[in-house]
Amino acid sequence: MGDAGDGGAGRDGGAAGAAGAAGAGSSTAKRARLAEIFRFGLVGGVNTGTFFGCYLLLHPWMPYFAAYSLAFVLSMIGSFFLNTYFTYRTRPTWKKFALFPLTNVTNYLVQSVGLYALVTWAGMDDRIAPLVAAVVAIPFTYLISQRILVPRNNGQDTDDSGPGSETDERQPSRLA
């Protein structure tokens, strides 16, 4: 393959050069997206460890589903802050904090149904089943959390009432 400038400029008046420049931006965007997905995976690993640790600590003191639910809420709060600062490099706001549980409703439902099915129907150990159910929910959580936590450029995602509310644009992470 040649570079973007050879062979194409004579046919389309330099459009190949413009396409090459657009391709470079696309490559940068792809790298940025992959880095974001990698950071999301790291946060997910920390969040899963937090969730599972809380679940194991709570499980002896309450029924497995109550322990699961409480551990889920505790880890979701930590996940909010890790995802805003580290994954998406945006500032947390009260609006995002209020909406973030909505990103986890799908996650919770997928995991809950999976947990119930794995324990009740498949006979899986109730100490391991939450991890298996969590893996299935990962792609849903990424897409929904990105939708809520990442500001849109259309001016609809502004909130002046929370921590860091002086701007809702992506900021350099203090954790990275």
Side-chain angles (χ1 to χ4, degrees):
M1 294 202 176
D3 65 83
D6 64 354
R11 286 185 302 232
D12 56 12
S26 173
S27 177
T28 301
K30 286 179 185 177
R31 279 194 302 269
R33 174 61 59 112
L34 286 174
E36 185 176 89
I37 291 169
F38 179 75
R39 290 189 307 269
F40 181 82
L42 287 175
V43 168
V46 168
N47 189 48
T48 300
T50 301
F51 159 75
F52 197 55
C54 289
Y55 175 76
L56 290 177
L57 287 172
L58 295 169
H59 186 266
W61 305 102
M62 59 184 68
Y64 79 91
F65 203 78
Y68 164 81
S69 298
L70 185 54
F72 190 92
V73 168
L74 293 172
S75 66
M76 184 175 57
I77 292 168
S79 178
F80 169 76
F81 288 104
L82 286 172
N83 275 305
T84 53
Y85 283 119
F86 182 68
T87 301
Y88 301 114
R89 298 181 181 196
T90 187
R91 293 183 187 265
T93 64
W94 289 112
K95 178 181 177 182
K96 289 177 186 177
F97 186 74
L99 291 174
F100 190 72
L102 297 177
T103 69
N104 285 282
V105 167
T106 300
N107 185 330
Y108 183 79
L109 291 174
V110 170
Q111 286 191 35
S112 297
V113 169
L115 175 66
Y116 182 81
L118 291 168
V119 171
T120 304
W121 298 334
M124 186 177 281
D125 186 324
D126 62 13
R127 292 170 293 175
I128 302 300
L131 290 177
V132 176
V135 169
V136 175
I138 291 170
F140 298 102
T141 306
Y142 173 76
L143 294 172
I144 295 169
S145 66
Q146 181 186 47
R147 176 84 174 148
I148 286 184
L149 296 178
V150 175
R152 293 175 219 38
N153 292 332
N154 61 11
Q156 294 179 357
D157 191 26
T158 58
D159 179 17
D160 297 335
S161 62
S165 62
E166 59 273 0
T167 181
D168 199 23
E169 297 176 12
R170 289 191 183 209
Q171 300 295 321
S173 174
R174 295 177 195 161
L175 299 174

